[in-house]
Amino acid sequence: MDIVLASREEKTAVIMENKIWSGESSHQLNDYLEKSKTEYKDCNQILYVFLTPYGREASDSDNCIAFSYGEIIDSLESSNCLS
């Protein structure tokens, strides 16, 4: 898990796997999914993001949302986080 954003107050976690030029390891996303369920068991919502330069789909597209770097920047800019 490369980037983890967690709010105990909101009981929410965002888990990001950042893949720049490498591919996924065997069962990597499933391992992170299981580990996060234990580490963030107090969270009501856990969002899994597969982050790549161009928004490549994850092997587990049922549980992971694919985002490109540009989409993350756009989302942060529209929420005024990068002002």
Side-chain angles (χ1 to χ4, degrees):
M1 295 181 269
D2 293 314
I3 303 166
V4 177
L5 308 169
S7 171
R8 294 189 196 288
E9 184 177 301
E10 298 293 326
K11 295 190 176 194
T12 301
V14 178
I15 313 266
M16 293 186 195
E17 178 58 23
N18 184 30
K19 289 292 182 190
I20 300 172
W21 306 121
S22 63
E24 299 171 52
S25 300
S26 178
H27 307 289
Q28 181 179 18
L29 297 179
N30 188 55
D31 291 345
Y32 290 165
L33 180 85
E34 293 306 314
K35 183 178 180 181
S36 66
K37 287 178 183 178
T38 301
E39 286 189 33
Y40 303 100
K41 64 180 178 244
D42 294 335
C43 290
N44 295 330
Q45 181 176 7
I46 302 175
L47 177 67
Y48 300 95
V49 176
F50 190 70
L51 183 60
T52 64
Y54 304 106
R56 179 171 40 108
E57 287 293 318
S59 61
D60 185 359
S61 59
D62 290 337
N63 292 305
C64 296
I65 299 169
F67 267 97
S68 70
Y69 292 165
E71 290 171 316
I72 290 291
I73 290 169
D74 290 345
S75 294
L76 291 172
E77 286 177 341
S78 68
S79 68
N80 294 319
C81 289
L82 296 179
S83 51

